[in-house]
């Protein structure tokens, strides 16, 4: 089973776009997706405030600059 964590925040169009991108894989791969709102956690706000969306795929972290369909697919089993 593949685990994907999406670190995002409210009113973030790019975060919504990445969420839709992740959904494309649900038909091909067994995935569990967890979306975490960084605005609900002070530590995550400090860490990711200017970096969201951040995607963690099976332990590998991708920041918004490196999230692509191919980058996600390479990390899925």
């Amino acid at each position: 089973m593949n685990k994907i964590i999406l670190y995002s925040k409210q009113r973030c169009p790019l975060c919504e776009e990445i969420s839709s991108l992740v959904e494309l894989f649900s038909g091909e791969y067994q995935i569990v997706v967890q979306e975490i709102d960084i605005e609900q956690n002070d530590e995550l706000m400090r860490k990711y405030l200017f970096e969201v969306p951040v995607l963690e795929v099976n332990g590998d972290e991708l920041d918004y600059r490196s999230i692509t369909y191919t980058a996600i697919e390479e990390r899925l089993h």
Side-chain angles (χ1 to χ4, degrees):
M1 182 70 69
N2 293 285
K3 183 173 182 181
I4 296 177
I5 301 172
L6 172 58
Y7 296 96
S8 62
K9 62 182 179 178
Q10 299 290 320
R11 298 166 304 284
C12 171
L14 190 53
C15 297
E16 293 172 13
E17 185 178 321
I18 297 304
S19 180
S20 295
L21 178 62
V22 168
E23 286 180 32
L24 295 175
F25 292 99
S26 63
E28 294 181 53
Y29 297 91
Q30 291 184 346
I31 59 174
V32 173
V33 180
Q34 179 183 8
E35 190 164 341
I36 298 176
D37 182 350
I38 66 164
E39 294 175 317
Q40 303 302 314
N41 181 303
D42 291 339
E43 182 179 331
L44 293 176
M45 278 291 287
R46 283 188 293 279
K47 184 174 181 179
Y48 295 126
L49 179 62
F50 299 110
E51 300 295 322
V52 291
V54 173
L55 200 60
E56 186 178 309
V57 182
N58 292 326
D60 280 344
E61 194 171 281
L62 303 167
D63 67 20
Y64 71 94
R65 294 174 293 267
S66 58
I67 299 173
T68 64
Y69 184 93
T70 303
I72 297 169
E73 188 171 47
E74 288 173 352
R75 289 159 175 80
L76 294 174
H77 304 126

